[in-house]
Amino acid sequence: MPAVPDTPLSGFVIAIDGPSGSGKSSVSRQVARTLGLGFLDTGAMYRSATWWCLHQGVDLDDAAAVVAATRELPLTIGTDPDAPAVHVGDHDVTAAIRETRITEQVSKVATIIPVREILRQLQRRLISAAGAAKGGVVAEGRDITTVVVPDAPVRILLTASAEARLARRSRELHGAADAASVAATRTQIIERDRTDSTVSQFTVAADGVTTLDTTDLDFEQSVGAVLQLVADARR
């Protein structure tokens, strides 16, 4: 059980989870733009905690030290979909947390259960604040539909075939989806999902969560499908 009571949600909350490369970040951001809502990338929070630990010289294999560092994480994260800047203390880490060195190590931090609870409580506070300010918020990331905001009125598991996810992420990282680029991406995507799945379920939708398979959908179609689910829920 949480150590402190959960922050009540404010505004209309749309929660989107899914495996790496499913498009949840880009789709969630565009949905937030279209609806004029706030946006929260919870994965950026785990990346920020990883950056902070490395910046502080914390051994990522020392779970107790990582938990202690995360408790002191001086994180500021934007909830404007057009400017979701991330700062840790005086450092703008918006770009730094996307570097390969962070991507390759973030699972070490994200699979520590007490770290997940610390960030879960912070995520609910940020979601509630953004929802109150903008009338609603699109929040995306691991556990968002089942653990962070299981009380959200719209909960979606965005998924796609492994081949489609690898091709998308390969184009994002390498600018191409040829065999060599996909091979360079495979370990990063598949291994990270395998590791993360030890503490988070994001491959099969929980009760009350709608699965949206975007394998055969382009970006605009994926956004449109989410907007339709939101419209249906609001009705």
Side-chain angles (χ1 to χ4, degrees):
M1 295 295 291
V4 297
D6 278 345
T7 302
L9 296 183
S10 297
F12 191 85
V13 179
I14 302 164
I16 301 180
D17 199 347
S20 300
S22 61
K24 63 182 181 295
S25 294
S26 55
V27 169
S28 295
R29 189 176 302 176
Q30 185 57 44
V31 168
R33 286 193 192 101
T34 302
L35 297 176
L37 304 180
F39 166 75
L40 181 65
D41 174 2
T42 63
M45 300 170 69
Y46 287 101
R47 288 173 173 273
S48 297
T50 304
W51 182 92
W52 173 243
C53 287
L54 293 174
H55 181 69
Q56 296 289 102
V58 173
D59 180 357
L60 298 186
D61 293 318
D62 184 342
V66 172
V67 171
T70 303
R71 291 189 191 281
E72 303 301 321
L73 175 65
L75 176 67
T76 304
I77 183 167
T79 54
D80 179 345
D82 290 316
V86 184
H87 290 80
V88 176
D90 296 329
H91 301 274
D92 183 340
V93 298
T94 308
I97 61 173
R98 304 296 172 183
E99 293 173 358
T100 300
R101 72 184 186 105
I102 302 298
T103 299
E104 290 178 342
Q105 300 191 78
V106 65
S107 288
K108 289 185 176 182
V109 172
T111 52
I112 299 173
I113 299 302
V115 166
R116 299 188 72 81
E117 178 58 22
I118 292 167
L119 293 184
R120 184 192 74 86
Q121 293 177 18
L122 177 56
Q123 287 158 14
R124 279 196 68 102
R125 292 196 296 273
L126 290 169
I127 289 167
S128 187
K134 301 285 288 186
V137 60
V138 181
E140 63 94 353
R142 296 281 191 262
D143 279 350
I144 199 76
T145 63
T146 54
V147 178
V148 182
V149 287
D151 44 345
V154 177
R155 295 182 294 151
I156 300 169
L157 179 68
L158 202 69
T159 188
S161 69
E163 292 76 14
R165 293 188 291 110
L166 282 167
R168 290 170 184 171
R169 187 54 60 85
S170 180
R171 283 191 289 269
E172 176 186 327
L173 295 176
H174 307 293
D178 56 83
S181 298
V182 169
T185 307
R186 180 176 296 276
T187 299
Q188 185 183 103
I189 299 302
I190 301 302
E191 289 302 318
R192 183 183 170 196
D193 278 354
R194 182 178 294 119
T195 301
D196 288 355
S197 67
T198 62
V199 293
S200 177
Q201 177 54 263
F202 51 86
T203 57
V204 179
D207 289 346
V209 178
T210 301
T211 299
L212 177 58
D213 190 328
T214 66
T215 300
D216 298 318
L217 303 180
D218 62 21
F219 176 70
E220 289 76 16
Q221 291 170 328
S222 299
V223 171
V226 172
L227 291 172
Q228 185 60 58
L229 290 172
V230 172
D232 292 344
R234 282 180 157 166
R235 280 198 296 269

